[in-house]
Amino acid sequence: TATGGGNPVSQRVRSWPPPGGMISGPHLPLLACSTEEHGLGAPADADCSAPTRVDWRYVTTAGTVKPLTDPNSLPADLATAEIGGTSVPLTIRHETGVVNRSIYEITSVDPSPGGADTDQSDAAWNRRLIYRYGGGCGTTFGQGKVEVDLFDVDLLTKGYAIASGSFNTFAAQCNDVLSAETTMMVKERFIEELGEPEHTIGEGASGGAMQLHLIVQNYPGLLDGVVALQPFPDVLTVVSGVADCGLLERYYATPGGSRLTDAQRTA
C-alpha cells in the first residue's frame, strides 16, 4: 500500500511457489524425476525440487566447447570474441535448476567465471534471449530433460543468451499451457540473474514449432519473435492422424490385419 496526500492505494501481488503452477491448474503426478541425471542430486520432494547448480565451460580456438574445471585458471586454448565492442574470453556460464517442476538450463558468456557468482553485470550479453523449444509430443508423467542445444557457439559468440526447460520439450510434456507457464517462470529466473531482455526470440521445430504458434497466439508478450521450423500448426490438427497410425500399426500386427494387402492398407 502506498499513500500520497492522504490517499492510500493498494495493489495486491501474489507470490507463487517455485514449483508452480500459476496458470496450468492442479499438478499431475510426476512419476520420475531427472535431477540426478542433470547433476542436481536426488530430488528433495514429490515436485522434483533440487538446488540450483552453476558450472562453466569454454569455447576453444578450434570452435568446440569443453568443461572449464577451474574457473580461476583459464586454459591456453580459450577463444575470444568481440561482443558489444569489447574483446572478451568465451567462458560460458551454465545454470541448471528446477522451476515449475521443470528442469531448466541457461547459458551465457561470462567473462569473469567463478567466485560468488552473484553479479552478472559484466556478462557479455547483447540483451537478446534465445528461448528454445524441443520437439515431439508425449506424456511421460516425468520431469524429462532439455533436448535442445544450449551451447550454440555461433549464437553465444554473438552475445546471445540461451534458455530452455524440460517442460518446453513436447516429447516429455505435450502441453502448451504448461510450456507457456514454464517459459514465464524461467524468464523470471533469467531476469533475476542477467536482467530484462530487449527481445526474447523463440526457436523450435516440429513440436517446438507447435509451442511457438500457440504461445504467441495465447500468451502475447512472452516471445517477441519466433523461428518455427518444420512448422506444424498445433497439436490437435495433427494428433488424430498420428493416433490413427499407431492404431493401424497395432491392427496390422494381428492375424486379421496381417492378411491385408498393401492396396487395402493404403485404402
Side-chain angles (χ1 to χ4, degrees):
T1 299
T3 303
N7 298 313
V9 177
S10 297
Q11 174 65 54
R12 182 184 178 191
V13 178
R14 182 168 183 177
S15 177
W16 300 89
M22 297 174 68
I23 61 173
S24 63
H27 284 157
L28 293 174
L30 285 181
L31 304 183
C33 300
S34 307
T35 54
E36 292 183 275
E37 290 87 340
H38 287 80
L40 303 178
D45 52 35
D47 289 322
C48 298
S49 302
T52 301
R53 172 185 173 181
V54 176
D55 58 78
W56 286 269
R57 305 186 191 189
Y58 73 99
V59 180
T60 70
T61 50
T64 59
V65 177
K66 290 184 177 180
L68 184 61
T69 54
D70 183 2
N72 298 311
S73 178
L74 300 183
D77 62 342
L78 171 62
T80 61
E82 186 172 302
I83 300 176
T86 303
S87 179
V88 297
L90 290 176
T91 47
I92 302 170
R93 181 183 186 275
H94 175 220
E95 177 175 320
T96 309
V98 179
V99 294
N100 203 32
R101 307 197 302 167
S102 167
I103 299 287
Y104 76 89
E105 297 186 49
I106 298 172
T107 56
S108 59
V109 174
D110 181 3
S112 55
D117 193 53
T118 56
D119 182 10
Q120 292 299 309
S121 59
D122 67 338
W125 178 41
N126 65 10
R127 314 301 298 182
R128 275 78 172 165
L129 170 63
I130 303 291
Y131 204 109
R132 289 186 154 170
Y133 295 81
C137 183
T139 304
T140 65
F141 293 98
Q143 198 173 24
K145 63 180 180 178
V146 178
E147 292 191 346
V148 295
D149 184 9
L150 273 293
F151 297 94
D152 189 314
V153 172
D154 185 53
L155 290 174
L156 290 168
T157 55
K158 291 180 172 64
Y160 291 95
I162 309 173
S164 189
S166 59
F167 285 2
N168 301 121
T169 303
F170 250 23
Q173 301 286 351
C174 194
N175 184 326
D176 63 281
V177 180
L178 191 59
S179 176
E181 180 180 65
T182 301
T183 303
M184 291 165 51
M185 298 181 71
V186 172
K187 274 192 69 174
E188 179 191 11
R189 172 60 195 153
F190 178 87
I191 291 168
E192 289 169 350
E193 194 64 38
L194 275 89
E196 188 170 355
E198 293 181 9
H199 303 297
T200 302
I201 304 163
E203 183 184 275
S206 189
M210 295 179 190
Q211 293 170 77
L212 295 177
H213 293 147
L214 292 165
I215 290 174
V216 166
Q217 172 177 287
N218 297 325
Y219 307 94
L222 284 181
L223 303 172
D224 301 299
V226 299
V227 180
L229 308 171
Q230 301 172 5
F232 294 109
D234 53 46
V235 179
L236 293 179
T237 302
V238 298
V239 72
S240 60
V242 174
D244 286 347
C245 285
L247 292 171
L248 288 170
E249 286 292 333
R250 285 191 176 192
Y251 176 60
Y252 296 155
T254 66
S258 64
R259 290 194 293 268
L260 295 178
T261 65
D262 288 343
Q264 289 172 318
R265 293 186 182 196
T266 301

